[in-house]
Amino acid sequence: MNTPANAVPESFPGLQTITAAATAATRPFYWSVRRELWENRSVYMAPLIAAAIIVFGSLIGLPLRLPGIVRGLPTLDAAQQQAELQQPYDMAAGLLMLAQLLVGVFYCLDALHGERRDRSILFWKSLPVSDRTTVLSKASVPLVILPLLTWAITTATCVIMLLLSSAVLAGSGLSVAPPWARLSLFQMSLMLLYHLVTVHSLWHAPIYGWLLLVSGWARRAVFLWAFLPPLAICALEKIVFNSSHFAAMLGYRLTGGAEAMAMATADMPIDPGTHLTPGSFLITPGLWIGLLVTAAFLAAAVRLRRYRGPI
């Protein structure tokens, strides 16, 4: 008797049980993430608008600046030529990473508070989706979706800018070779992805966890509840103990993650002179302490969503 190629042998009933359990566990999470993207179009619209502004600025700025830069390249050394040609791409990457950070902050502040404010939490709680799945799906947006989306949009923006540069140079009667020879978009893209995963996702995870916790707890003025307590602690420590340990810790969390790479200069992390140091990053105590704090924040957010009702 012929057996279909995709049939599961009856002698392994446990395999069917494991497959069904895995599907049942992942499908609610998948659709919860899809729900977040459907309901929060700013997650992808804001980076796309920022990229469109950058491309529009390139259409205006490149014809004015690029021909003069290329004509002056022979008078510069290799490092200066690299810096001159890569500056617009560094600015584009920096602006898009800033847009990602702002979108992540405002998304987290509204993620749990918004559904309580408009009472849609009553509908979502009626579905067979656990509070843990819901909170983790919301946390995946700033920790996974936004970094990957920013990487893809930034890479596409840099490709468009490079094509525009070639068109401007060809229209000016100059060689299009310098940008293509000096800029390695593939290397820049990989370094950007590494930076987004290590710093903007793993290192900043406690920040997003705290914002989600405040979003699930506060009844109103979520922005103030998220930022005033840390500022008050900093001020109180300074007044009482004349020290700034808490402020230094916050600053380290906001601007840290330098262990992930060693930059020859204070340039952008996508510059060729940057050396990736994942080993040093993974053994940094601050990384693992931050991830443990993030887990605690998310666990508290799950509990709050379980027992908090509409506002």
Side-chain angles (χ1 to χ4, degrees), residues 81 137 157 163 194 224 246 251 260 289:
Q81 292 179 13
S137 68
T157 302
L163 295 176
Y194 173 81
L224 294 180
F246 189 77
I289 293 173

Side-chain angles (χ1 to χ4, degrees), residues 206-277:
I207 299 174
Y208 297 123
W210 164 254
L211 296 177
L212 284 172
L213 175 61
V214 174
S215 179
W217 173 81
R219 295 185 61 86
R220 57 181 61 87
V222 184
F223 188 89
L224 294 180
W225 281 113
F227 293 99
L228 281 184
L231 294 177
I233 294 174
C234 293
L236 185 63
E237 180 191 0
K238 187 65 176 178
I239 294 172
V240 176
F241 302 104
N242 194 27
S243 61
S244 303
H245 299 298
F246 189 77
M249 183 271 294
L250 290 180
Y252 179 58
R253 182 56 56 182
L254 290 170
T255 62
E259 296 84 359
M261 56 190 63
M263 291 184 286
T265 60
D267 293 327
M268 294 292 294
I270 63 174
D271 291 343
T274 301
H275 300 284
L276 307 183
T277 56

Side-chain angles (χ1 to χ4, degrees), residues 27-219:
R27 186 174 294 275
F29 180 80
Y30 168 77
W31 284 108
S32 296
V33 175
R34 290 285 299 269
R35 163 207 162 186
E36 295 303 317
L37 298 179
W38 286 335
E39 292 188 344
N40 300 275
R41 296 184 178 180
S42 61
V43 169
Y44 53 87
M45 288 302 300
L48 286 174
I49 292 174
I53 294 174
I54 292 170
V55 171
F56 179 74
S58 299
L59 285 172
I60 299 175
L62 286 176
L64 300 177
R65 298 179 62 254
L66 187 60
I69 292 175
V70 172
R71 292 189 183 98
L73 289 180
T75 63
L76 304 175
D77 58 32
Q80 291 174 328
Q81 292 179 13
Q82 180 76 38
E84 286 290 335
L85 291 174
Q86 189 161 327
Q87 183 182 10
Y89 302 88
D90 289 344
M91 294 179 61
L95 289 174
L96 286 170
M97 285 189 287
L98 177 61
Q100 178 226 339
L101 179 62
L102 293 176
V103 171
V105 168
F106 284 100
Y107 166 81
C108 289
L109 288 175
D110 190 64
L112 295 172
H113 183 265
E115 64 178 10
R116 294 164 57 219
R117 184 182 60 247
D118 60 18
R119 296 180 174 267
S120 62
I121 189 174
L122 298 175
F123 169 74
W124 296 115
K125 277 184 173 290
S126 67
L127 300 179
V129 180
S130 66
D131 296 294
R132 181 178 61 182
T133 298
T134 300
V135 171
L136 290 180
S137 68
K138 292 178 183 294
S140 70
V141 172
L143 296 179
V144 180
I145 303 298
L146 269 174
L148 294 178
L149 187 63
T150 302
W151 169 72
I153 293 176
T154 304
T155 301
T157 302
C158 290
V159 170
I160 294 173
M161 292 174 61
L162 185 57
L163 295 176
L164 290 176
S165 299
S166 300
V168 169
L169 292 176
S172 302
L174 299 172
S175 172
V176 301
W180 291 93
R182 291 293 179 184
L183 300 175
S184 176
L185 289 185
F186 180 74
Q187 180 184 5
M188 292 165 57
S189 176
L190 291 181
M191 295 175 69
L192 176 64
L193 178 62
Y194 173 81
H195 176 74
L196 289 170
V197 171
T198 54
V199 178
H200 288 252
S201 181
L202 296 177
W203 190 260
H204 289 166
I207 299 174
Y208 297 123
W210 164 254
L211 296 177
L212 284 172
L213 175 61
V214 174
S215 179
W217 173 81
R219 295 185 61 86

